[in-house]
Amino acid sequence: MDQEPLDRGNAGRSDRADARRDDRGDIPPDARPDPSAAGAVPRAEPVVITATDVAGSRFVSGTGTAPDPGRQAAVVAQAESTLPMVVQSLYAQRLSSVELRSGAAGDRFFALTDDRGRDLTLRLDAVPLPSGTVARTHVNTTSDQHVVQLSDRMDPRQVGRALSHEVGELLAVRDRAARAAAGDPEVAGVAPNRQDVLARGGLGSAERRLSLTEEDLGRVGELNYLAARMNDATLDAGQRAESRGELSALVDHLGLRPRVPADSGHYAPELQAADVRRDIVDPHLTPAAAGALRELAVPVERLGAADAVELREFRARAEHARPIGASVGAPVMPGLRPDGSPLPREELAAAATRAAEQRTRAGAATLDQLRAEIATTGEWPARRVVVGGGASLVGRDPEALLVDARGRWHLDPGEGIVQSPDQTRDMRANGMGDAHQFADPTARVPRDAVRLWEDQLAVRGPVVDGTAALLPGQDGRLYTHIRPADGSPDLYVKVEGTPTVATGLPPEMVPGVDRRDAVDLPEALDAVRGQLPAGSPAHARLTGEVGAERALQVLREEGVLDGLRSDGGARAALQTLDATARWERARAAAPGRVFIGDEIAEGRFDARAASAEGAPKTWLVAGAGGTGVANAEIILEADPEARVTIYGPNLPPALENQVQFTALRERFVSEYGGDGRLTIDIHPDNRVGAVQMSLGPDGKPRFREGRVEADAYVASLGRTAPMPEALRGLSEGTRAGGGQVRGDLMFDRDRQYLGYGVTFEAGGRQHRVEVTGAASQLLPRDVFPRDTQAALTAMAVRQVPSQSGNAAPGFAPVAEQTARLAEARARGTVERHASVPESWGRPAVAGSTASGGAANPVANAARLQSGRRTASPGGGVPGSVPVPRAPRPPQPPRPGR
């Protein structure tokens, strides 16, 4: 129920093309103050809170504060008491055994059974939702665990109507998935009908064959709910009248009565369309709703006096509701033909290949254009810049230069992303693509579909295939150093405006490192150098890029290693150096057999490669998270003779809700009927330390964790949180020049997380960069304090619950995040916060175990010591670097020569 275009009368989600109401009052958008423009970093909740009556859901009024602390709990409590009544009164023939239970972790959920005898669960929460969004449902037809999120700004009295919609939509999605799984030719291999019947507009007589969409069936639930309340003798007269008014308004919005006067030339077509809709909807109505529609779904001239007055007042309010407009995006969604018709499944592979070729040509053309401009002017060109792509491309600025290496899903050899079309069904609304177009509801979204969408979005503006790094020039400008993937010479671009970085998840960590204070080699080296006298030989020898094995050797040769080991201040750093040195030795001793998980996920390995020792046949995957599971699948697919063991202390809750994991067990785990080539060794006592390598009796390297021994080793233990690689040089150069690096969190006015910003200040100049997408879920450890990251993680778990089969850095959530960022930028409503808005960390039910939000302001942790800081180059801004001069254009010949 997340697009309410009108005032009272529509608690259902309308088509995204509908006009959406600006529910922030009558202040024109260009007249509202923009905190980000002023450089302010507020600590309070977002400034604007919805204050109008949107589609019948009354929101708390007032501005400047978030909902009071008890509102989330009140909404959830009302929902928990209302859901059984909604099910019993409206869906008793479809659902039974509605029982509220508590899980082992203290979470509460409803256990239900459908009319086919299948069990399902439904969790309820109240969270910050976008304006106009009363509720939304995460439908998971793989695990049958579902979540309804209600707006924490709604009036608890409107919860029943919201739930009537969400349960109806949930049942419709489940029904379609069941029919597709059974091979029903009407739905198997066919994308869902996307044309809502219950929406204003003309309908031809031929369209009587149209079926109701999932969204339509949610609206039917609202009709039935309001009709029941309108006739409920246990309610007082005022409550019944209010429900009657809401029902009449909803009838108007859904096109079930003509809106124009009877003497209008448009009256007959509208009346015919209303009749068609009533014919289609009638079989789904309760007797009470059918009777109510016979009474109310008539032209306003035929309504009773009181009903007519209220309807005319509703229409007057709707007329004055200014449309906000559609989200930022292209006219034609990726995956569609130019005429808007869907691309057939059988054409997907060929279309993906064509899109890739088009992107390659577009990239070459962009490089040619940039180089021609350089040759003509003798200056580096100036452009707005975006670095990185993936799902964040849905929000790309078509005027900006995109520099992207075509990583992740262009390299991943797997079948596709780990979610199904049902689990990513809202991607279409964000402009990414319709996953149902290319796969059945509970299948995996194909890899070719992802590549097609990304490549088609990439060419909507200038694009270069390659990598980029941002750096300050000595002229005070910010530059983008571009390294084209085609091997052609590097070039530079002057950055205009605020650049965006969306380079994906940061690197995975080496096993055995200290996870708290020195999670990677650069941090460990910085910490060690900080313990050494600045002028000492050991300090001098550790300057620059040094491997862990070499660093330990230097410390040993200089006679300081034992002293550092006895010094508690260097414990974490030496643990990371020791673990990384063991990793380096294992990589050298067993080439092609020791990998970081991302190397497997990006296809940078050969599972069947011949070597002096023979191809590895047993693999140990250390880490049981999503990356580890994906790595295991890729290896098993690549070598039919390989056997894999996943080793770890636990399985993340999201795995049980994903398509990939359940299918993987059924194929390869013997306990689930598989061929036995995969073993999942999960026990709370399983702890993974530094890589353990030894030589077997045959002299070949072997790797061990617990009782598991294997020929090859893959580390999938989690990720570090450094500054994105594209910003690493800018960050280090700023600090080397004595400058500061500060961070802030970006939200829109609805408390939706958009990413983080980093401001680099040195020599009286500032450069700001904004990071979004998966990269924005892990904050740089040397910029943001730990409690801010903890609050962000807690927010992400509530915003994208594990029952959805998704996670905040995943494909569909990233698409939504970046679409919202593009929209907020277009409206000037991006807000900068020092911490996560408090309501994201607040438990939805009193006594629950949800983590609290961080309240401390962002501080510059600046743990980087002098080791990586080089002397500021002579001249220019401190921390800046000399940018190579652009090639001068050829001089014209002199006259007479």
Side-chain angles (χ1 to χ4, degrees), residues 66-81:
D68 62 85
R71 178 164 289 272
Q72 289 186 350
V75 171
V76 172
Q78 183 66 37
E80 289 183 347
S81 65

Side-chain angles (χ1 to χ4, degrees), residues 202 258-273 301:
R259 285 174 56 90
V260 298
D263 57 357
S264 167
H266 297 288
Y267 180 80
E270 282 203 13
L271 180 62
Q272 180 187 28
E301 295 85 357

Side-chain angles (χ1 to χ4, degrees), residues 678-703:
L678 175 63
T679 301
I680 302 177
D681 188 343
I682 299 298
H683 191 276
D685 293 335
N686 289 355
R687 292 290 183 267
V688 179
V691 61
Q692 301 181 48
M693 186 192 72
S694 61
L695 298 180
D698 55 1
K700 298 178 182 179
R702 303 287 292 170
F703 302 90

Side-chain angles (χ1 to χ4, degrees), residues 41 43 735 740-745 757-758 779-789 833-835 855-863:
V41 184
R43 289 188 57 193
R735 289 190 172 112
Q740 291 186 318
V741 180
R742 298 189 302 275
D744 57 77
L745 304 180
V758 188
L779 306 175
R781 290 157 51 92
D782 58 345
V783 177
F784 293 89
R786 288 192 184 94
D787 58 356
T788 302
Q789 177 65 72
H833 289 250
S835 60
N856 292 339
V858 173
N860 180 10
R863 289 191 300 274

Side-chain angles (χ1 to χ4, degrees), residues 179-404:
R179 291 175 61 194
D184 186 333
E186 291 189 5
V187 295
V190 180
N193 172 30
R194 297 299 187 190
Q195 182 178 355
D196 289 338
V197 175
L198 299 182
R200 289 199 309 270
L203 287 176
S205 59
E207 294 181 278
R208 289 178 182 271
R209 296 187 300 272
L210 284 176
S211 60
L212 296 177
T213 65
E214 297 155 359
E215 182 63 35
D216 285 332
L217 290 167
R219 294 174 178 131
V220 170
E222 294 180 64
L223 292 170
N224 291 334
Y225 174 81
L226 292 171
R229 285 183 58 84
M230 167 181 142
N231 295 289
D232 189 347
T234 65
L235 301 178
D236 61 42
Q239 291 172 314
R240 294 196 301 273
E242 182 179 48
S243 296
R244 182 185 182 94
E246 290 186 26
L247 178 59
S248 181
L250 183 57
V251 164
D252 209 50
H253 176 70
L254 299 184
L256 293 169
R257 69 158 70 93
R259 285 174 56 90
V260 298
D263 57 357
S264 167
H266 297 288
Y267 180 80
E270 282 203 13
L271 180 62
Q272 180 187 28
D275 288 341
V276 170
R277 291 190 181 94
R278 287 200 297 272
D279 288 345
I280 295 172
V281 79
D282 188 66
H284 303 276
L285 297 174
T286 62
L293 258 63
R294 284 193 297 271
E295 184 179 353
L296 293 175
V298 297
V300 65
E301 295 85 357
R302 291 166 50 191
L303 287 173
D307 290 329
V309 168
E310 181 152 359
L311 178 59
R312 288 190 175 102
E313 290 178 352
F314 164 75
R315 288 178 174 178
R317 291 195 301 271
E319 289 294 332
H320 289 88
R322 294 181 291 109
I324 294 177
S327 298
V328 175
V332 179
M333 188 173 64
L336 301 181
R337 294 191 174 110
D339 63 359
S341 61
L343 186 74
R345 294 186 187 183
E346 59 270 18
E347 298 180 16
L348 173 59
T353 299
R354 289 195 302 271
E357 293 170 349
Q358 181 186 6
R359 179 169 176 173
T360 298
R361 292 192 299 270
T366 300
L367 283 173
D368 289 344
Q369 179 182 355
L370 292 171
R371 290 192 170 111
E373 187 174 336
I374 294 167
T376 301
T377 65
E379 301 288 338
W380 298 118
R383 297 287 191 277
R384 297 205 296 272
V385 175
V386 176
V387 181
S392 67
L393 288 171
V394 74
R396 73 154 299 185
D397 177 357
E399 301 298 322
L401 172 64
L402 168 68
V403 185
D404 178 43

